[in-house]
Each structure stands twice: as C-alpha cells, then as structure tokens.
C-alpha cells in the first residue's frame, strides 16, 4: 500500500539546468513564463515543501515537455506501507 503522506516529487537538478540552458533562460525568466514567484522554483530545487501539480504542469509546458516526459525532469519518490506498519522507500 502506498503511503500518500510520504509521496514526494523531486526535481532533477541536472536536467533542469540543462533544459534552462537550452532555452536560454534564467530561473527568474522561467518563473515569469510560468507565472510563479522565483522562490517557488528555488523551493523545488532545494526540495523544500510539497510541489503542486499545477506548478509541475507549468514547468513542463515552459520547457515544451509532454505528459509522458515527466521523468525527464522529475522523480516520483513514494513510500510503501508494509503490513506491519513500517514504511519502505521505493
């Protein structure tokens, strides 16, 4: 069973910076295109807080990525609950 409280979406920093460079953008420029505050992107880079699906969708669109290319930019890290209540990271 997946533990929804332990699911985390992690931004792949290397891929992020490569895509940013390919687009000739800065973090501030990307934030402008995405219509978010630059601090939102910096929080994603530093794995601070939860990443909202709307922000993920905006970032993928800004980079021209399709839904099936999610793994180019993000890692979905989830935890499973064992029957004994212990959590196992996947």
């Amino acid at each position: 069973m997946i533990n929804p409280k332990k699911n985390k979406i992690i931004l792949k920093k290397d891929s992020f910076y490569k895509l940013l460079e390919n687009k000739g953008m800065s973090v501030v420029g990307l934030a402008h295109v995405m219509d978010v505050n630059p601090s939102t992107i910096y929080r994603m880079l530093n794995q601070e807080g939860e990443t909202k699906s709307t922000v993920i969708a905006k970032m993928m669109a800004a980079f021209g990525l399709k839904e099936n290319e999610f793994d180019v930019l993000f890692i979905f890290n989830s935890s499973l609950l064992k029957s004994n209540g212990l959590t196992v990271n996947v």
Side-chain angles (χ1 to χ4, degrees):
M1 168 181 264
I2 293 178
N3 183 356
K5 293 181 182 179
K6 296 287 184 179
N7 293 340
K8 188 164 189 153
I9 296 174
I10 300 168
L11 181 61
K12 293 180 179 178
K13 291 181 183 181
D14 290 344
S15 297
F16 171 80
Y17 285 116
K18 187 179 284 184
L19 287 167
L20 204 60
E21 183 180 337
N22 290 344
K23 290 284 185 180
M25 281 196 246
S26 65
V27 171
V28 173
L30 176 63
H32 179 72
V33 169
M34 292 173 55
D35 195 30
V36 298
N37 194 303
S39 64
T40 299
I41 297 172
Y42 287 117
R43 281 194 303 275
M44 290 173 72
L45 286 165
N46 294 321
Q47 297 180 24
E48 297 171 356
E50 292 184 37
T51 303
K52 295 183 180 182
S53 59
T54 55
V55 175
I56 292 169
K58 286 180 179 185
M59 184 175 286
M60 290 185 64
F63 285 129
L65 297 173
K66 301 203 180 320
E67 190 175 306
N68 63 347
E69 296 174 301
F70 174 86
D71 63 341
V72 168
L73 198 53
F74 297 98
I75 298 169
F76 179 71
N77 186 12
S78 65
S79 296
L80 299 177
L81 290 177
K82 285 186 170 183
S83 59
N84 61 7
L86 296 176
T87 302
V88 178
N89 288 327
V90 178

